[in-house]
Amino acid sequence: MAAATAATATATVAPAQPRTTTLSGVVSNLNGIPLPRVEVIIANTELRAFSNDSGVYEFTAVPVGRVRMIARRIGFEPEEARVSLDAGRHKQVDFEMKGVPELLDSVMVRE
């Protein structure tokens, strides 16, 4: 009786490449003073972050590719940046914002 030998093939599957990356930065005014509470958004997504008291914002799991970022806060001109994001590689994008005077309508308070 002939002995049958079965060959076993194993395939090595490379781990999937991450399709996201991390993104952070610092938002300051033109004098380099950090700006808190600046909203930073990734256009055409629902991703948004706010800068902390040190002006730092951070995103995790941002889709890779070319993105448009917008930083905005009342009293400052919006700033925009277009950046390319690579999978698994952190990107830092800093914003310098120019202050603009905001004239608000007067409000009358009655008792």
Side-chain angles (χ1 to χ4, degrees):
M1 174 174 205
T5 306
T8 305
T10 57
T12 303
V13 178
Q17 291 290 334
R19 301 304 305 155
T20 61
T21 191
T22 58
L23 176 63
S24 66
V26 178
V27 185
S28 61
N29 67 14
L30 296 179
N31 295 322
I33 298 171
L35 293 174
R37 296 177 305 283
V38 175
E39 180 182 33
V40 181
I41 66 167
I42 309 286
N44 303 316
T45 73
E46 293 183 13
L47 299 175
R48 62 191 66 245
F50 287 88
S51 60
N52 64 18
D53 289 341
S54 299
V56 176
Y57 71 90
E58 183 174 14
F59 290 97
T60 58
V62 179
V64 298
R66 191 118 172 100
V67 298
R68 183 170 60 104
M69 302 174 64
I70 303 165
R72 58 187 177 198
R73 179 179 161 185
I74 292 176
F76 292 85
E77 290 182 7
E79 289 294 320
E80 189 172 308
R82 293 177 188 269
V83 296
S84 291
L85 303 175
D86 297 320
R89 298 188 66 175
H90 177 78
K91 183 81 162 189
Q92 179 162 342
V93 179
D94 297 334
F95 289 95
E96 280 190 347
M97 299 186 74
K98 179 181 177 185
V100 293
E102 290 280 329
L103 297 176
L104 302 176
D105 293 333
S106 61
V107 176
M108 182 176 287
V109 178
R110 296 183 188 165
E111 287 190 38

